[in-house]
Amino acid sequence: MIFDVSLPLYLLIALILFCVGLYGALTKRNAIVVLLSIELMLNAVNINLVAFAKYGLYASLTGQVFTLFTMTVAAAEVAVGIAILISLYRNRDTVNVDEMDTMKR
Amino acid sequence: MQVSGTFLAFAVLSLLTIGGAVFMISFTRVVHMVISLGVTFLSIAGLFVLLEAEFVAISQILVYSGAISILMLFGIMLTKHDAKDEGVSKANKGWLSILVVAVFFVIAFWGIQSTPWVAPPDNAAAVQEDNATQLGVEIFTRFVIPFELTSVLLLVALVGAIILAKKEEDNE
């Protein structure tokens, strides 16, 4: 047993985080929780990018730059998502994803 | 059997990360979920520090633990104050989701375990010194165009969010 931090450990952490986020995004009813789960998945990908920036075969700063861009896009996504949710709540009086079925009826 | 300080920090931080995420899934009140996810975001910032990405760690704390958590709290307060998530909507959907996630986990885990990871050459460690300066040089030389596009995206998201969330006073 080697007690040392290596790349597969970080990948494993990121994989577990991604799976938890995926499960939450698939099963939860509250739309805000679905947004939170998507953030969790994005964070898992960020861990992977930074881990490869240090331990990858061609270690460079590109992974960290990509992480910064991912964060920016995630912030924009959350802002627009919350705005859509508030507008939807004002019109339909619900935040549950399975009640947002206007286009199905 | 020697346990290094780095490994100890890694173990604690990863435990906090995964614990926060699992608690986020298992809590029923939405406000508790956001707080628990804040713990996860902070520990991920700690993991970034372990990976010698200090600037990214600070950005993580500012953007995720600060801005996004507060934005989520605002979203909760503006929709349903004491919202509870009753969990799975239909009985079948829960099992199907667990199955999909488990299959994905097994495949990705097998992929991680069976890949021979090659260690980077030793001179790569010198690149990481003075993280913020190097990151700034990279962004403003190689990644100028994506950087400018990102600023346009942020502006569009700002305007779009304001227009979407604005009260419509004179509709119809």
Side-chain angles (χ1 to χ4, degrees):
Chain A
M1 192 89 191
I2 307 161
F3 284 101
D4 198 18
V5 188
S6 56
L7 180 60
L9 274 178
Y10 283 104
L11 297 187
L12 192 64
I13 297 292
L15 176 62
I16 292 171
L17 269 190
F18 190 89
C19 284
V20 172
L22 188 62
Y23 177 75
L26 285 176
T27 55
K28 292 294 178 181
R29 288 183 71 206
N30 196 323
I32 293 175
V33 184
V34 174
L35 272 181
L36 280 178
S37 307
I38 292 173
E39 290 307 311
L40 206 58
M41 289 158 74
L42 283 166
N43 260 294
V45 176
N46 282 352
I47 293 180
N48 268 4
L49 287 173
V50 178
F52 275 113
K54 188 184 176 193
Y55 290 111
L57 183 54
Y58 300 103
S60 70
L61 280 178
T62 313
Q64 299 185 17
V65 176
F66 262 80
T67 306
L68 287 177
F69 286 141
T70 317
M71 275 180 197
T72 320
V73 174
E77 172 237 324
V78 167
V80 176
I82 291 283
I84 289 175
L85 271 185
I86 289 173
S87 143
L88 203 64
Y89 179 75
R90 203 176 285 140
N91 287 320
R92 300 286 311 278
D93 205 32
T94 180
V95 284
N96 288 344
V97 282
D98 51 356
E99 290 166 28
M100 300 172 183
D101 52 359
T102 317
M103 290 183 80
K104 252 165 67 178
R105 290 186 291 192
Chain B
M1 198 167 91
Q2 199 166 10
V3 181
S4 63
T6 315
F7 184 83
L8 209 63
F10 173 80
V12 170
L13 285 173
S14 53
L15 205 68
L16 276 175
T17 307
I18 292 174
V22 170
F23 272 119
M24 193 277 275
I25 290 298
S26 60
F27 277 149
T28 51
R29 295 181 71 95
V30 182
V31 180
H32 296 175
M33 287 178 172
V34 176
I35 301 299
S36 148
L37 208 66
V39 173
T40 303
F41 288 154
L42 279 177
S43 344
I44 289 175
L47 284 181
F48 286 164
V49 171
L50 278 187
L51 284 165
E52 296 171 8
E54 289 87 6
F55 185 76
V56 180
I58 299 295
S59 318
Q60 164 92 10
I61 292 176
L62 283 179
V63 174
Y64 277 104
S65 322
I68 287 183
S69 303
I70 299 299
L71 201 61
M72 289 291 181
L73 283 176
F74 263 101
I76 292 165
M77 295 303 166
L78 285 175
T79 52
K80 286 195 172 172
H81 293 287
D82 49 351
K84 282 185 185 169
D85 196 290
E86 293 89 9
V88 184
S89 48
K90 287 164 204 149
N92 290 332
K93 207 178 140 206
W95 287 107
L96 194 64
S97 310
I98 289 178
L99 190 72
V100 167
V101 172
V103 166
F104 173 76
F105 181 84
V106 168
I107 291 175
F109 186 75
W110 176 76
I112 291 173
Q113 288 300 316
S114 62
T115 309
W117 300 109
V118 184
D122 280 340
N123 58 0
V127 178
Q128 304 282 340
E129 281 173 22
D130 203 358
N131 181 263
T133 314
Q134 296 229 337
L135 213 54
V137 169
E138 282 278 302
I139 284 178
F140 286 105
T141 53
R142 274 181 69 195
F143 297 97
V144 176
I145 293 173
F147 178 74
E148 297 294 338
L149 285 179
T150 311
S151 60
V152 174
L153 173 80
L154 275 180
L155 181 68
V156 170
L158 175 73
V159 175
I162 290 174
I163 288 178
L164 278 173
K166 197 178 59 177
K167 263 204 176 73
E168 306 113 5
E169 283 158 10
D170 48 357
N171 50 350
E172 284 120 88

